[in-house]
Amino acid sequence: MDAPLQIIPKRFPQYDHFALNGNIDAQAETLLKELPARVRQPQVTIDFSSSGRINSMGIALLLRCFKAIREEKQADIELAGLTPMNTMLFKMTGIFLLATPAKG
Amino acid sequence: MLSNDPILALFADTEDENAWYRPLSTIPDIIRITAGRFLPVTLENMRGLGINPQLAVVSGALYPTVMPELIGMLKENFPGIEVLVLSSTFAPLPPIERLMADKVRHLVIEPVSPEGMRSPLLRAVNDLVHKRKWEIAKHVRKGTQIHIFQLASSADKEAVIGAVEGAVKGETAEHELLRQKGALLADEMLENAFYGAPRGADGGKIFRKGENRGLLPGEKIVFRFAFDGETLAMEMADSWGSLAPDMVMEYLARNQNSAGLPEEIGGRGLFIIWRFLDQLHVDITPGNRTVVGGHLHVSSPFPPEAPRGFHITITEKEKINGCTVTDHS
């Protein structure tokens, strides 16, 4: 899938919700850099159910983005819509040390 | 290495030796040794008798944890000996830093029961004894089409990834996972070729990830893959040869131990390639060519979190009548 990243925000009473649609790679740098500033609530859900391929550059950008959300916004991050492939990749690269997979 | 040189196999104890008996039993001319305090004398005696093994298969239960000095001892007695460390999918990964320090470039992780596939250990021993390189054609069924792409610019990347995804046909969840792994591996291999390999005179990277670029004069990037319905094999060759074996091992070790927290860590792409392939193969002709490849299966014998092996080899530039040949085709 050759689809550049789009970030679709939704605001719920208890948490912020951002759907990451498309590939997460070097092209996603600007959008992911801007994402922490868009967080308003102490609970954030990042939804990967419509995301495409996530490569090593995408992992680096997600790590930087999640670290900023935690440090600058003191917010907890939950990851939704993960595929088995996302889970494997996030486990081996340490993403789960910064964000928790959603239950169920 | 001559194919009739004996192979040395070293184990921590009898139990360890018995655990590896089956895969090693089909290898001819193998000398089995259970290491103990008399090992230095045994090795010296072998040398004195003119026995000159060129390959040592060392159990991960023995080295590096139990006998860290083993490789030094082997190299002292048999200079030029190639060492292959053998471990299993349920054992912890041997510390790569130690392997790097001892210049051990071959690690085989043997699945508990490699049913339906040839033992990775036997393949590795055979390749090392006969000085054969990893090749796609040896890992897919005879007659399988091998797809070859010579890329002209970074804009070609998505078409190649699409071709890998399109070739892995099948509707099961395992096929879908293999398609995704294949796409990611192709992506990482090509990113390495386009942005990691090109280096300036100072050793620094020439291109920034994500920028569109064409090939430089004389530069060549070739991607190959094949899928036979069960095995997906792929390799990427660039014409830089800028990787070094120690650099490969350092990237693997650094990413293995960092748990990803420093986001700007180097070599994450190579680390991901290693973790998704059954075994990583890297062949470097310094200053001339780097080939990164490997294979994976629809029904993988490796649990997702099991350690993976690697083979890192150096090829000297081809020489004809003492002249170095550089292929510019």
Side-chain angles (χ1 to χ4, degrees), chain B:
Chain B
M1 192 182 310
L2 298 172
S3 54
N4 55 358
D5 284 330
I7 294 166
L8 208 53
L10 294 120
F11 308 98
D13 50 38
T14 316
E15 194 187 334
D16 184 31
E17 185 181 350
N18 290 339
W20 293 115
Y21 183 81
R22 209 170 136 196
L24 290 171
S25 60
T26 54
I27 300 173
D29 299 323
I30 194 159
I31 301 169
R32 294 156 194 271
I33 298 175
T34 302
R37 62 194 170 101
F38 298 113
L39 182 63
V41 181
T42 307
L43 297 179
E44 272 176 44
N45 287 344
M46 283 175 66
R47 190 183 54 182
L49 289 167
I51 299 169
N52 188 28
Q54 294 294 296
L55 173 64
V57 176
V58 175
S59 164
L62 172 66
Y63 166 85
T65 312
V66 174
M67 197 175 269
E69 72 282 15
L70 177 65
I71 308 303
M73 212 187 289
L74 285 169
K75 288 187 174 171
E76 200 181 302
N77 284 286
F78 313 111
I81 194 167
E82 196 80 65
V83 177
L84 180 157
V85 172
L86 172 62
S87 189
S88 69
T89 45
F90 56 84
L93 178 75
I96 300 175
E97 296 86 346
R98 183 72 220 189
L99 270 56
M100 187 167 80
D102 286 331
K103 305 227 175 285
V104 174
R105 306 269 163 77
H106 306 280
L107 171 67
V108 168
I109 306 293
E110 187 82 353
V112 179
S113 57
E115 280 164 27
M117 65 183 283
R118 211 172 140 208
S119 152
L121 171 65
L122 292 183
R123 272 187 190 275
V125 167
N126 227 4
D127 285 350
L128 282 168
V129 166
H130 297 287
K131 286 197 176 291
R132 283 197 294 243
K133 288 193 196 319
W134 184 88
E135 273 175 38
I136 287 180
K138 283 193 282 179
H139 291 267
V140 290
R141 280 190 209 114
K142 210 173 169 185
T144 304
Q145 188 185 355
I146 299 177
H147 304 263
I148 303 174
F149 299 85
Q150 188 157 341
L151 288 93
S153 93
S154 57
D156 297 341
K157 201 182 87 172
E158 287 302 329
V160 174
I161 294 170
V164 174
E165 288 174 319
V168 181
K169 297 195 192 314
E171 300 305 317
T172 67
E174 287 81 10
H175 283 91
E176 178 53 31
L177 190 57
L178 187 72
R179 251 190 304 275
Q180 291 178 17
K181 286 181 183 177
L184 177 60
L185 288 165
D187 185 337
E188 296 296 355
M189 286 179 182
L190 292 167
E191 286 277 301
N192 277 344
F194 275 106
Y195 306 107
R199 301 281 168 153
D202 61 350
K205 286 183 185 173
I206 300 176
F207 300 103
R208 189 176 176 274
K209 276 196 176 186
E211 72 175 282
N212 281 326
R213 78 163 187 99
L215 296 190
L216 297 175
E219 185 182 14
K220 208 166 155 185
I221 295 177
V222 181
F223 180 83
R224 295 178 175 84
F225 81 91
F227 179 61
D228 66 4
E230 172 56 33
T231 304
L232 173 63
M234 55 214 305
E235 71 165 37
M236 186 282 308
D238 70 56
S239 55
W240 289 86
S242 54
L243 263 180
D246 282 354
M247 204 192 294
V248 175
M249 294 183 79
E250 197 188 318
Y251 285 155
L252 304 186
R254 202 192 290 171
N255 282 277
Q256 176 75 21
N257 299 334
S258 75
L261 280 179
E263 65 270 17
E264 303 301 344
I265 196 166
R268 186 179 277 119
L270 196 63
F271 172 75
I272 288 173
I273 294 170
W274 175 49
R275 296 296 289 122
F276 278 115
L277 289 171
D278 284 2
Q279 307 259 327
L280 169 69
H281 295 261
V282 180
D283 182 62
I284 305 156
T285 309
N288 203 43
R289 185 173 139 98
T290 301
V291 182
V292 176
H295 58 279
L296 59 168
H297 298 89
V298 175
S299 314
S300 177
F302 292 89
E305 284 166 45
R308 298 296 201 273
F310 53 76
H311 298 279
I312 305 164
T313 49
I314 286 279
T315 299
E316 296 299 323
K317 271 188 183 176
E318 192 187 348
K319 287 189 175 174
I320 297 173
N321 288 338
C323 300
T324 301
V325 177
T326 305
D327 180 3
H328 291 290
S329 59

Side-chain angles (χ1 to χ4, degrees), chain A residues 1-2 26-27 29 53-57 59-60 63-64 67 83 85 88-89 91-94 97-98, chain B residues 158 161 165 177 180-181 183-184 187-188 208-210 259-261 263-264 268-269 271-272 275-276 305:
Chain A
M1 178 170 77
D2 182 16
Q27 313 296 338
E29 184 165 12
R53 206 169 58 244
I54 306 172
N55 70 10
S56 56
M57 188 63 190
I59 293 289
L63 285 166
R64 192 192 298 164
K67 217 187 259 185
T83 62
M85 179 72 180
M88 272 184 233
L89 193 57
K91 215 178 262 184
M92 73 174 68
T93 54
L97 299 176
L98 297 171
Chain B
E158 287 302 329
I161 294 170
E165 288 174 319
L177 190 57
Q180 291 178 17
K181 286 181 183 177
L184 177 60
D187 185 337
E188 296 296 355
R208 189 176 176 274
K209 276 196 176 186
L261 280 179
E263 65 270 17
E264 303 301 344
R268 186 179 277 119
F271 172 75
I272 288 173
R275 296 296 289 122
F276 278 115
E305 284 166 45

